[in-house]
Amino acid sequence: MIDRAPKKTDLMSEAERDAYHAEKMRKKKDARDKILSTKTDEKGLLIVHTGKGKGKSTAAFGMVFRAIGHGFKVGVVQFVKGAWDTGERDILLKFPELVTINAMGEGFTWETQDRQRDLAAARAAWEQAKALIMDESYKLVLLDELNICLRYDYLPIEEVVAFLKQKPHDTHVIVTGRNAKDELIEIADLVTEMTEIKHHFRAGVKAQAGIEF
């Protein structure tokens, strides 16, 4: 086994380490402050949560709750999970003056097994989403699982992209779901891909209240 070379701090006294740390953090703060001073724009963001990992909708609803905490008005359209009884929906219903929830999906497409029904549900949800986004009293609008509808071509990606490119300047829009289309990623301001490392479902554990819904 080869011993590592001693670090600079290994040879210091506690007082010297404290002084070294303080100076290092001061330089880091100065650099950070310089970067932050250049960030002056403020606008509504188009945010996309995608990927195979768990947490896309969970993270989005976290932002919804954060917006409510600031007193902002929020709209939610659920394109797929409308048939689910979810904990987040039960909580959001307690804030009717700040939140509009439209649970318009009828479940995943393999559950309905009816393409025309899925097409009609996706169109109705999209029309409601457009109305919420164009209503400038809403600060944030969550389009939960819209990516699934786009993946199965229930809605034309060209239509969705064209509309989102013209959304009100100060409105934040979050889109969730696996397999986000390249065209949507291209126009987004923030894209996060959830990567699965390990999932309890593969070990035989079912979806549970408080975790999945």
Side-chain angles (χ1 to χ4, degrees), residues 69-118:
H70 286 286
F72 297 146
K73 194 172 179 182
V74 176
V76 177
V77 179
Q78 293 184 290
F79 281 77
V80 172
K81 297 175 183 173
W84 289 30
D85 183 17
T86 62
E88 58 266 25
R89 191 185 306 152
D90 292 341
I91 292 294
L92 292 174
L93 287 173
K94 298 180 185 296
F95 300 90
E97 72 285 0
L98 290 177
V99 184
T100 299
I101 305 175
N102 297 271
M104 305 187 72
E106 298 186 82
F108 292 100
T109 186
W110 55 84
E111 293 171 337
T112 62
Q113 300 175 22
D114 186 332
R115 181 174 175 274
Q116 290 304 317
R117 184 170 154 188
D118 290 340

Side-chain angles (χ1 to χ4, degrees), residues 116-184:
Q116 290 304 317
R117 184 170 154 188
D118 290 340
L119 285 167
R123 174 53 61 181
W126 176 237
E127 293 303 320
Q128 182 60 40
K130 290 193 294 183
L132 289 173
I133 292 170
M134 294 308 295
D135 182 342
E136 296 190 35
S137 69
Y138 288 90
K139 181 70 172 179
L140 184 150
V141 179
L142 168 58
L143 309 182
D144 192 34
E145 305 289 6
L146 171 59
N147 283 336
I148 291 180
C149 294
L150 296 175
R151 176 188 181 187
Y152 287 106
D153 296 322
Y154 293 159
L155 295 166
I157 183 63
E158 298 82 7
E159 176 186 343
V160 172
V161 166
F163 177 82
L164 292 177
K165 286 173 71 174
Q166 299 180 46
K167 70 175 182 60
H169 182 268
D170 295 325
T171 304
H172 302 298
V173 176
I174 310 174
V175 178
T176 72
R178 293 187 177 199
N179 303 110
K181 295 270 191 175
D182 290 340
E183 296 93 330
L184 181 62

Side-chain angles (χ1 to χ4, degrees), residues 4-19:
R4 66 171 177 82
K7 295 180 180 178
K8 181 178 180 179
T9 52
D10 291 341
L11 306 176
M12 293 179 178
S13 67
E14 282 299 303
E16 289 172 330
R17 282 189 180 188
D18 290 345

